[in-house]
Amino acid sequence: MNKAELIDAIAKDTGLTKKDTEAFIKSFVENVSKEMENGGDVQLIGFGTFSVGERAARTGRNPKTGANITIAASKLPKFKAGKALKDRVNKK
């Protein structure tokens, strides 16, 4: 499902206009992103949790030259599905 299809589906389910639905989705994404940027988690009970993980610095290899390189530590966004979502995907 792409963004336009998601907007159509939510607008149909909620009775909101497509414009209001798009504004809601933009706001949701922006607020989740801000919270994660600040190192926080966003938990939606039954759906899942958006969080930030840490990846340690490590040594890698340049595939072209074979030389060792240092890959810096980084943060990565994570999503852990909640029980209700897992059950629904697995049709339980």
mmCIF file of all heavy atoms in Angstrom, residues 21-71:
data_model
loop_
_atom_site.group_PDB
_atom_site.id
_atom_site.type_symbol
_atom_site.label_atom_id
_atom_site.label_comp_id
_atom_site.label_asym_id
_atom_site.label_seq_id
_atom_site.Cartn_x
_atom_site.Cartn_y
_atom_site.Cartn_z
ATOM 1 N N THR A 21 -6.664 13.857 6.617
ATOM 2 C CA THR A 21 -5.991 12.572 6.821
ATOM 3 C C THR A 21 -4.511 12.688 6.500
ATOM 4 O O THR A 21 -3.663 12.197 7.257
ATOM 5 C CB THR A 21 -6.642 11.480 5.951
ATOM 6 O OG1 THR A 21 -8.019 11.383 6.290
ATOM 7 C CG2 THR A 21 -5.975 10.136 6.159
ATOM 8 N N GLU A 22 -4.182 13.361 5.401
ATOM 9 C CA GLU A 22 -2.775 13.551 5.036
ATOM 10 C C GLU A 22 -2.060 14.370 6.097
ATOM 11 O O GLU A 22 -0.922 14.065 6.469
ATOM 12 C CB GLU A 22 -2.649 14.213 3.667
ATOM 13 C CG GLU A 22 -1.206 14.332 3.212
ATOM 14 C CD GLU A 22 -1.069 14.815 1.783
ATOM 15 O OE1 GLU A 22 -2.051 15.266 1.185
ATOM 16 O OE2 GLU A 22 0.061 14.726 1.259
ATOM 17 N N ALA A 23 -2.710 15.407 6.616
ATOM 18 C CA ALA A 23 -2.118 16.232 7.680
ATOM 19 C C ALA A 23 -1.868 15.389 8.930
ATOM 20 O O ALA A 23 -0.827 15.532 9.580
ATOM 21 C CB ALA A 23 -3.022 17.416 7.997
ATOM 22 N N PHE A 24 -2.811 14.504 9.260
ATOM 23 C CA PHE A 24 -2.643 13.628 10.414
ATOM 24 C C PHE A 24 -1.434 12.715 10.234
ATOM 25 O O PHE A 24 -0.609 12.575 11.136
ATOM 26 C CB PHE A 24 -3.897 12.779 10.653
ATOM 27 C CG PHE A 24 -3.649 11.662 11.621
ATOM 28 C CD1 PHE A 24 -3.619 11.897 12.979
ATOM 29 C CD2 PHE A 24 -3.384 10.383 11.165
ATOM 30 C CE1 PHE A 24 -3.349 10.874 13.878
ATOM 31 C CE2 PHE A 24 -3.113 9.354 12.050
ATOM 32 C CZ PHE A 24 -3.102 9.600 13.405
ATOM 33 N N ILE A 25 -1.323 12.093 9.060
ATOM 34 C CA ILE A 25 -0.209 11.170 8.812
ATOM 35 C C ILE A 25 1.121 11.907 8.884
ATOM 36 O O ILE A 25 2.081 11.427 9.496
ATOM 37 C CB ILE A 25 -0.383 10.440 7.462
ATOM 38 C CG1 ILE A 25 -1.571 9.468 7.560
ATOM 39 C CG2 ILE A 25 0.888 9.691 7.067
ATOM 40 C CD1 ILE A 25 -1.973 8.846 6.244
ATOM 41 N N LYS A 26 1.187 13.100 8.284
ATOM 42 C CA LYS A 26 2.422 13.895 8.348
ATOM 43 C C LYS A 26 2.780 14.222 9.790
ATOM 44 O O LYS A 26 3.932 14.120 10.192
ATOM 45 C CB LYS A 26 2.271 15.195 7.554
ATOM 46 C CG LYS A 26 2.434 15.049 6.077
ATOM 47 C CD LYS A 26 2.348 16.416 5.405
ATOM 48 C CE LYS A 26 2.624 16.308 3.924
ATOM 49 N NZ LYS A 26 2.574 17.626 3.262
ATOM 50 N N SER A 27 1.783 14.614 10.581
ATOM 51 C CA SER A 27 2.014 14.945 11.979
ATOM 52 C C SER A 27 2.469 13.724 12.764
ATOM 53 O O SER A 27 3.396 13.803 13.579
ATOM 54 C CB SER A 27 0.737 15.515 12.592
ATOM 55 O OG SER A 27 0.938 15.783 13.958
ATOM 56 N N PHE A 28 1.839 12.583 12.526
ATOM 57 C CA PHE A 28 2.220 11.346 13.205
ATOM 58 C C PHE A 28 3.677 10.996 12.916
ATOM 59 O O PHE A 28 4.463 10.756 13.838
ATOM 60 C CB PHE A 28 1.305 10.194 12.778
ATOM 61 C CG PHE A 28 1.696 8.868 13.357
ATOM 62 C CD1 PHE A 28 1.357 8.534 14.650
ATOM 63 C CD2 PHE A 28 2.424 7.959 12.605
ATOM 64 C CE1 PHE A 28 1.727 7.312 15.194
ATOM 65 C CE2 PHE A 28 2.798 6.736 13.133
ATOM 66 C CZ PHE A 28 2.456 6.412 14.435
ATOM 67 N N VAL A 29 4.042 11.001 11.656
ATOM 68 C CA VAL A 29 5.417 10.655 11.262
ATOM 69 C C VAL A 29 6.404 11.651 11.864
ATOM 70 O O VAL A 29 7.454 11.269 12.392
ATOM 71 C CB VAL A 29 5.547 10.589 9.722
ATOM 72 C CG1 VAL A 29 7.000 10.499 9.295
ATOM 73 C CG2 VAL A 29 4.750 9.409 9.174
ATOM 74 N N GLU A 30 6.083 12.929 11.818
ATOM 75 C CA GLU A 30 6.969 13.967 12.351
ATOM 76 C C GLU A 30 7.154 13.811 13.860
ATOM 77 O O GLU A 30 8.270 13.886 14.360
ATOM 78 C CB GLU A 30 6.424 15.358 12.025
ATOM 79 C CG GLU A 30 7.275 16.496 12.526
ATOM 80 C CD GLU A 30 8.685 16.538 11.965
ATOM 81 O OE1 GLU A 30 8.920 16.027 10.852
ATOM 82 O OE2 GLU A 30 9.579 17.090 12.648
ATOM 83 N N ASN A 31 6.072 13.567 14.581
ATOM 84 C CA ASN A 31 6.175 13.442 16.033
ATOM 85 C C ASN A 31 6.887 12.173 16.468
ATOM 86 O O ASN A 31 7.676 12.195 17.418
ATOM 87 C CB ASN A 31 4.790 13.564 16.677
ATOM 88 C CG ASN A 31 4.345 15.000 16.733
ATOM 89 O OD1 ASN A 31 4.820 15.751 17.566
ATOM 90 N ND2 ASN A 31 3.474 15.399 15.824
ATOM 91 N N VAL A 32 6.650 11.064 15.790
ATOM 92 C CA VAL A 32 7.384 9.830 16.092
ATOM 93 C C VAL A 32 8.867 10.042 15.786
ATOM 94 O O VAL A 32 9.736 9.673 16.585
ATOM 95 C CB VAL A 32 6.818 8.623 15.302
ATOM 96 C CG1 VAL A 32 7.729 7.410 15.434
ATOM 97 C CG2 VAL A 32 5.414 8.284 15.788
ATOM 98 N N SER A 33 9.170 10.668 14.656
ATOM 99 C CA SER A 33 10.559 10.918 14.271
ATOM 100 C C SER A 33 11.270 11.816 15.282
ATOM 101 O O SER A 33 12.420 11.551 15.664
ATOM 102 C CB SER A 33 10.623 11.562 12.887
ATOM 103 O OG SER A 33 10.071 10.707 11.918
ATOM 104 N N LYS A 34 10.593 12.881 15.728
ATOM 105 C CA LYS A 34 11.190 13.789 16.726
ATOM 106 C C LYS A 34 11.504 13.053 18.018
ATOM 107 O O LYS A 34 12.578 13.228 18.593
ATOM 108 C CB LYS A 34 10.223 14.930 17.053
ATOM 109 C CG LYS A 34 10.312 16.117 16.164
ATOM 110 C CD LYS A 34 9.434 17.228 16.755
ATOM 111 C CE LYS A 34 8.851 18.084 15.671
ATOM 112 N NZ LYS A 34 7.897 19.074 16.196
ATOM 113 N N GLU A 35 10.551 12.244 18.486
ATOM 114 C CA GLU A 35 10.759 11.515 19.736
ATOM 115 C C GLU A 35 11.943 10.556 19.610
ATOM 116 O O GLU A 35 12.775 10.459 20.508
ATOM 117 C CB GLU A 35 9.493 10.753 20.130
ATOM 118 C CG GLU A 35 9.584 10.054 21.462
ATOM 119 C CD GLU A 35 9.788 10.990 22.643
ATOM 120 O OE1 GLU A 35 9.405 12.177 22.573
ATOM 121 O OE2 GLU A 35 10.336 10.523 23.657
ATOM 122 N N MET A 36 12.038 9.869 18.483
ATOM 123 C CA MET A 36 13.144 8.933 18.277
ATOM 124 C C MET A 36 14.456 9.677 18.107
ATOM 125 O O MET A 36 15.501 9.215 18.574
ATOM 126 C CB MET A 36 12.856 8.036 17.074
ATOM 127 C CG MET A 36 11.703 7.075 17.340
ATOM 128 S SD MET A 36 11.253 6.096 15.913
ATOM 129 C CE MET A 36 12.696 5.045 15.761
ATOM 130 N N GLU A 37 14.423 10.831 17.460
ATOM 131 C CA GLU A 37 15.625 11.655 17.296
ATOM 132 C C GLU A 37 16.186 12.044 18.668
ATOM 133 O O GLU A 37 17.398 12.136 18.855
ATOM 134 C CB GLU A 37 15.263 12.908 16.499
ATOM 135 C CG GLU A 37 16.418 13.821 16.189
ATOM 136 C CD GLU A 37 15.983 15.024 15.366
ATOM 137 O OE1 GLU A 37 14.767 15.257 15.194
ATOM 138 O OE2 GLU A 37 16.881 15.732 14.896
ATOM 139 N N ASN A 38 15.282 12.248 19.641
ATOM 140 C CA ASN A 38 15.691 12.600 20.996
ATOM 141 C C ASN A 38 15.988 11.374 21.856
ATOM 142 O O ASN A 38 16.185 11.484 23.060
ATOM 143 C CB ASN A 38 14.613 13.460 21.660
ATOM 144 C CG ASN A 38 14.478 14.800 20.978
ATOM 145 O OD1 ASN A 38 15.442 15.356 20.477
ATOM 146 N ND2 ASN A 38 13.264 15.328 20.944
ATOM 147 N N GLY A 39 15.972 10.188 21.247
ATOM 148 C CA GLY A 39 16.312 8.958 21.957
ATOM 149 C C GLY A 39 15.146 8.282 22.644
ATOM 150 O O GLY A 39 15.328 7.292 23.349
ATOM 151 N N GLY A 40 13.931 8.793 22.446
ATOM 152 C CA GLY A 40 12.761 8.229 23.103
ATOM 153 C C GLY A 40 12.090 7.137 22.297
ATOM 154 O O GLY A 40 12.420 6.896 21.136
ATOM 155 N N ASP A 41 11.144 6.484 22.930
ATOM 156 C CA ASP A 41 10.345 5.430 22.304
ATOM 157 C C ASP A 41 8.914 5.920 22.146
ATOM 158 O O ASP A 41 8.451 6.767 22.908
ATOM 159 C CB ASP A 41 10.309 4.174 23.181
ATOM 160 C CG ASP A 41 11.671 3.533 23.368
ATOM 161 O OD1 ASP A 41 12.606 3.883 22.634
ATOM 162 O OD2 ASP A 41 11.785 2.673 24.261
ATOM 163 N N VAL A 42 8.203 5.359 21.182
ATOM 164 C CA VAL A 42 6.770 5.621 21.014
ATOM 165 C C VAL A 42 6.088 4.264 21.031
ATOM 166 O O VAL A 42 6.338 3.423 20.175
ATOM 167 C CB VAL A 42 6.478 6.367 19.692
ATOM 168 C CG1 VAL A 42 4.983 6.542 19.500
ATOM 169 C CG2 VAL A 42 7.197 7.707 19.663
ATOM 170 N N GLN A 43 5.224 4.066 22.026
ATOM 171 C CA GLN A 43 4.552 2.784 22.191
ATOM 172 C C GLN A 43 3.068 2.935 21.890
ATOM 173 O O GLN A 43 2.392 3.780 22.473
ATOM 174 C CB GLN A 43 4.746 2.267 23.611
ATOM 175 C CG GLN A 43 4.132 0.914 23.845
ATOM 176 C CD GLN A 43 4.337 0.425 25.266
ATOM 177 O OE1 GLN A 43 4.504 1.206 26.185
ATOM 178 N NE2 GLN A 43 4.317 -0.885 25.437
ATOM 179 N N LEU A 44 2.575 2.130 20.982
ATOM 180 C CA LEU A 44 1.154 2.064 20.663
ATOM 181 C C LEU A 44 0.687 0.676 21.090
ATOM 182 O O LEU A 44 0.962 -0.316 20.406
ATOM 183 C CB LEU A 44 0.917 2.281 19.166
ATOM 184 C CG LEU A 44 1.421 3.615 18.604
ATOM 185 C CD1 LEU A 44 1.310 3.635 17.088
ATOM 186 C CD2 LEU A 44 0.642 4.764 19.206
ATOM 187 N N ILE A 45 0.025 0.617 22.245
ATOM 188 C CA ILE A 45 -0.384 -0.661 22.824
ATOM 189 C C ILE A 45 -1.164 -1.482 21.793
ATOM 190 O O ILE A 45 -2.087 -0.982 21.156
ATOM 191 C CB ILE A 45 -1.255 -0.448 24.078
ATOM 192 C CG1 ILE A 45 -0.528 0.399 25.118
ATOM 193 C CG2 ILE A 45 -1.714 -1.784 24.674
ATOM 194 C CD1 ILE A 45 0.690 -0.224 25.733
ATOM 195 N N GLY A 46 -0.769 -2.730 21.612
ATOM 196 C CA GLY A 46 -1.427 -3.630 20.682
ATOM 197 C C GLY A 46 -0.863 -3.567 19.277
ATOM 198 O O GLY A 46 -1.007 -4.503 18.507
ATOM 199 N N PHE A 47 -0.222 -2.453 18.931
ATOM 200 C CA PHE A 47 0.347 -2.318 17.590
ATOM 201 C C PHE A 47 1.846 -2.564 17.609
ATOM 202 O O PHE A 47 2.346 -3.426 16.902
ATOM 203 C CB PHE A 47 0.041 -0.938 17.006
ATOM 204 C CG PHE A 47 0.538 -0.764 15.600
ATOM 205 C CD1 PHE A 47 -0.058 -1.434 14.541
ATOM 206 C CD2 PHE A 47 1.613 0.061 15.327
ATOM 207 C CE1 PHE A 47 0.413 -1.285 13.243
ATOM 208 C CE2 PHE A 47 2.080 0.220 14.037
ATOM 209 C CZ PHE A 47 1.484 -0.446 12.988
ATOM 210 N N GLY A 48 2.571 -1.790 18.433
ATOM 211 C CA GLY A 48 4.005 -1.988 18.516
ATOM 212 C C GLY A 48 4.717 -0.788 19.094
ATOM 213 O O GLY A 48 4.099 0.211 19.469
ATOM 214 N N THR A 49 6.038 -0.885 19.147
ATOM 215 C CA THR A 49 6.873 0.160 19.721
ATOM 216 C C THR A 49 7.946 0.570 18.729
ATOM 217 O O THR A 49 8.662 -0.269 18.181
ATOM 218 C CB THR A 49 7.545 -0.338 21.016
ATOM 219 O OG1 THR A 49 6.524 -0.754 21.929
ATOM 220 C CG2 THR A 49 8.398 0.734 21.660
ATOM 221 N N PHE A 50 8.034 1.881 18.509
ATOM 222 C CA PHE A 50 9.105 2.463 17.715
ATOM 223 C C PHE A 50 10.189 2.864 18.704
ATOM 224 O O PHE A 50 9.914 3.546 19.691
ATOM 225 C CB PHE A 50 8.628 3.717 16.970
ATOM 226 C CG PHE A 50 7.527 3.452 15.977
ATOM 227 C CD1 PHE A 50 6.196 3.518 16.355
ATOM 228 C CD2 PHE A 50 7.833 3.150 14.656
ATOM 229 C CE1 PHE A 50 5.173 3.277 15.437
ATOM 230 C CE2 PHE A 50 6.823 2.910 13.737
ATOM 231 C CZ PHE A 50 5.494 2.976 14.127
ATOM 232 N N SER A 51 11.432 2.443 18.464
ATOM 233 C CA SER A 51 12.519 2.765 19.378
ATOM 234 C C SER A 51 13.809 2.991 18.609
ATOM 235 O O SER A 51 13.862 2.813 17.393
ATOM 236 C CB SER A 51 12.707 1.631 20.401
ATOM 237 O OG SER A 51 13.062 0.435 19.747
ATOM 238 N N VAL A 52 14.844 3.386 19.364
ATOM 239 C CA VAL A 52 16.145 3.651 18.771
ATOM 240 C C VAL A 52 17.133 2.642 19.330
ATOM 241 O O VAL A 52 17.237 2.473 20.546
ATOM 242 C CB VAL A 52 16.624 5.082 19.096
ATOM 243 C CG1 VAL A 52 17.994 5.345 18.493
ATOM 244 C CG2 VAL A 52 15.613 6.102 18.594
ATOM 245 N N GLY A 53 17.856 1.968 18.448
ATOM 246 C CA GLY A 53 18.880 1.017 18.853
ATOM 247 C C GLY A 53 20.262 1.592 18.621
ATOM 248 O O GLY A 53 20.429 2.570 17.899
ATOM 249 N N GLU A 54 21.228 0.991 19.251
ATOM 250 C CA GLU A 54 22.627 1.412 19.112
ATOM 251 C C GLU A 54 23.400 0.346 18.350
ATOM 252 O O GLU A 54 23.249 -0.834 18.616
ATOM 253 C CB GLU A 54 23.266 1.595 20.491
ATOM 254 C CG GLU A 54 22.573 2.594 21.383
ATOM 255 C CD GLU A 54 22.911 4.029 21.037
ATOM 256 O OE1 GLU A 54 23.990 4.262 20.460
ATOM 257 O OE2 GLU A 54 22.095 4.914 21.340
ATOM 258 N N ARG A 55 24.186 0.786 17.419
ATOM 259 C CA ARG A 55 25.079 -0.122 16.703
ATOM 260 C C ARG A 55 26.498 0.301 17.051
ATOM 261 O O ARG A 55 26.887 1.448 16.821
ATOM 262 C CB ARG A 55 24.845 -0.032 15.197
ATOM 263 C CG ARG A 55 25.737 -0.986 14.412
ATOM 264 C CD ARG A 55 25.401 -1.000 12.954
ATOM 265 N NE ARG A 55 24.185 -1.801 12.767
ATOM 266 C CZ ARG A 55 23.439 -1.757 11.684
ATOM 267 N NH1 ARG A 55 23.740 -0.944 10.699
ATOM 268 N NH2 ARG A 55 22.369 -2.509 11.582
ATOM 269 N N ALA A 56 27.276 -0.603 17.609
ATOM 270 C CA ALA A 56 28.641 -0.299 18.040
ATOM 271 C C ALA A 56 29.556 -0.084 16.838
ATOM 272 O O ALA A 56 29.300 -0.587 15.744
ATOM 273 C CB ALA A 56 29.169 -1.444 18.899
ATOM 274 N N ALA A 57 30.630 0.665 17.068
ATOM 275 C CA ALA A 57 31.643 0.834 16.028
ATOM 276 C C ALA A 57 32.256 -0.534 15.742
ATOM 277 O O ALA A 57 32.339 -1.395 16.615
ATOM 278 C CB ALA A 57 32.715 1.811 16.501
ATOM 279 N N ARG A 58 32.649 -0.736 14.515
ATOM 280 C CA ARG A 58 33.228 -2.038 14.157
ATOM 281 C C ARG A 58 34.201 -1.868 12.993
ATOM 282 O O ARG A 58 34.229 -0.846 12.326
ATOM 283 C CB ARG A 58 32.123 -3.021 13.806
ATOM 284 C CG ARG A 58 31.269 -2.596 12.633
ATOM 285 C CD ARG A 58 29.972 -3.425 12.576
ATOM 286 N NE ARG A 58 29.226 -3.172 11.370
ATOM 287 C CZ ARG A 58 28.451 -2.113 11.155
ATOM 288 N NH1 ARG A 58 28.352 -1.181 12.062
ATOM 289 N NH2 ARG A 58 27.781 -1.986 10.027
ATOM 290 N N THR A 59 34.956 -2.908 12.769
ATOM 291 C CA THR A 59 35.905 -2.904 11.652
ATOM 292 C C THR A 59 35.260 -3.611 10.472
ATOM 293 O O THR A 59 34.655 -4.672 10.628
ATOM 294 C CB THR A 59 37.204 -3.634 12.044
ATOM 295 O OG1 THR A 59 37.755 -2.986 13.186
ATOM 296 C CG2 THR A 59 38.206 -3.607 10.915
ATOM 297 N N GLY A 60 35.363 -2.993 9.311
ATOM 298 C CA GLY A 60 34.848 -3.582 8.092
ATOM 299 C C GLY A 60 35.953 -3.690 7.057
ATOM 300 O O GLY A 60 37.112 -3.399 7.338
ATOM 301 N N ARG A 61 35.585 -4.099 5.878
ATOM 302 C CA ARG A 61 36.576 -4.246 4.817
ATOM 303 C C ARG A 61 36.050 -3.562 3.565
ATOM 304 O O ARG A 61 34.909 -3.758 3.161
ATOM 305 C CB ARG A 61 36.817 -5.728 4.556
ATOM 306 C CG ARG A 61 37.983 -6.017 3.630
ATOM 307 C CD ARG A 61 38.305 -7.494 3.557
ATOM 308 N NE ARG A 61 38.699 -8.060 4.841
ATOM 309 C CZ ARG A 61 39.947 -8.043 5.313
ATOM 310 N NH1 ARG A 61 40.903 -7.493 4.623
ATOM 311 N NH2 ARG A 61 40.220 -8.590 6.462
ATOM 312 N N ASN A 62 36.885 -2.741 2.960
ATOM 313 C CA ASN A 62 36.536 -2.091 1.704
ATOM 314 C C ASN A 62 36.503 -3.176 0.627
ATOM 315 O O ASN A 62 37.521 -3.816 0.344
ATOM 316 C CB ASN A 62 37.570 -1.015 1.362
ATOM 317 C CG ASN A 62 37.257 -0.288 0.086
ATOM 318 O OD1 ASN A 62 36.686 -0.850 -0.846
ATOM 319 N ND2 ASN A 62 37.646 0.983 0.031
ATOM 320 N N PRO A 63 35.345 -3.412 0.004
ATOM 321 C CA PRO A 63 35.256 -4.509 -0.965
ATOM 322 C C PRO A 63 36.101 -4.283 -2.223
ATOM 323 O O PRO A 63 36.514 -5.238 -2.865
ATOM 324 C CB PRO A 63 33.776 -4.567 -1.315
ATOM 325 C CG PRO A 63 33.215 -3.264 -0.906
ATOM 326 C CD PRO A 63 34.088 -2.732 0.179
ATOM 327 N N LYS A 64 36.378 -3.045 -2.529
ATOM 328 C CA LYS A 64 37.155 -2.758 -3.737
ATOM 329 C C LYS A 64 38.656 -2.980 -3.523
ATOM 330 O O LYS A 64 39.330 -3.569 -4.356
ATOM 331 C CB LYS A 64 36.895 -1.314 -4.175
ATOM 332 C CG LYS A 64 37.413 -0.978 -5.544
ATOM 333 C CD LYS A 64 36.910 0.381 -5.981
ATOM 334 C CE LYS A 64 37.296 0.643 -7.423
ATOM 335 N NZ LYS A 64 36.749 1.919 -7.892
ATOM 336 N N THR A 65 39.154 -2.496 -2.359
ATOM 337 C CA THR A 65 40.598 -2.572 -2.121
ATOM 338 C C THR A 65 40.988 -3.673 -1.133
ATOM 339 O O THR A 65 42.149 -4.052 -1.074
ATOM 340 C CB THR A 65 41.115 -1.234 -1.569
ATOM 341 O OG1 THR A 65 40.532 -1.018 -0.279
ATOM 342 C CG2 THR A 65 40.795 -0.097 -2.502
ATOM 343 N N GLY A 66 40.043 -4.134 -0.336
ATOM 344 C CA GLY A 66 40.346 -5.139 0.671
ATOM 345 C C GLY A 66 40.929 -4.544 1.941
ATOM 346 O O GLY A 66 41.210 -5.261 2.891
ATOM 347 N N ALA A 67 41.100 -3.225 1.973
ATOM 348 C CA ALA A 67 41.680 -2.571 3.145
ATOM 349 C C ALA A 67 40.667 -2.545 4.292
ATOM 350 O O ALA A 67 39.465 -2.443 4.071
ATOM 351 C CB ALA A 67 42.094 -1.149 2.792
ATOM 352 N N ASN A 68 41.202 -2.640 5.515
ATOM 353 C CA ASN A 68 40.345 -2.527 6.692
ATOM 354 C C ASN A 68 39.888 -1.086 6.853
ATOM 355 O O ASN A 68 40.667 -0.154 6.633
ATOM 356 C CB ASN A 68 41.082 -2.963 7.952
ATOM 357 C CG ASN A 68 41.230 -4.465 8.040
ATOM 358 O OD1 ASN A 68 40.491 -5.202 7.408
ATOM 359 N ND2 ASN A 68 42.185 -4.914 8.830
ATOM 360 N N ILE A 69 38.635 -0.915 7.251
ATOM 361 C CA ILE A 69 38.104 0.418 7.523
ATOM 362 C C ILE A 69 37.355 0.366 8.844
ATOM 363 O O ILE A 69 36.904 -0.700 9.277
ATOM 364 C CB ILE A 69 37.162 0.925 6.403
ATOM 365 C CG1 ILE A 69 35.990 -0.049 6.197
ATOM 366 C CG2 ILE A 69 37.914 1.136 5.101
ATOM 367 C CD1 ILE A 69 34.920 0.463 5.255
ATOM 368 N N THR A 70 37.234 1.508 9.493
ATOM 369 C CA THR A 70 36.476 1.589 10.730
ATOM 370 C C THR A 70 35.104 2.142 10.402
ATOM 371 O O THR A 70 34.978 3.199 9.788
ATOM 372 C CB THR A 70 37.187 2.497 11.746
ATOM 373 O OG1 THR A 70 38.475 1.948 12.015
ATOM 374 C CG2 THR A 70 36.396 2.586 13.033
ATOM 375 N N ILE A 71 34.100 1.415 10.803
ATOM 376 C CA ILE A 71 32.726 1.849 10.615
ATOM 377 C C ILE A 71 32.280 2.456 11.940
ATOM 378 O O ILE A 71 32.319 1.795 12.983
ATOM 379 C CB ILE A 71 31.809 0.673 10.207
ATOM 380 C CG1 ILE A 71 32.337 0.054 8.909
ATOM 381 C CG2 ILE A 71 30.372 1.134 10.060
ATOM 382 C CD1 ILE A 71 31.673 -1.249 8.530
#
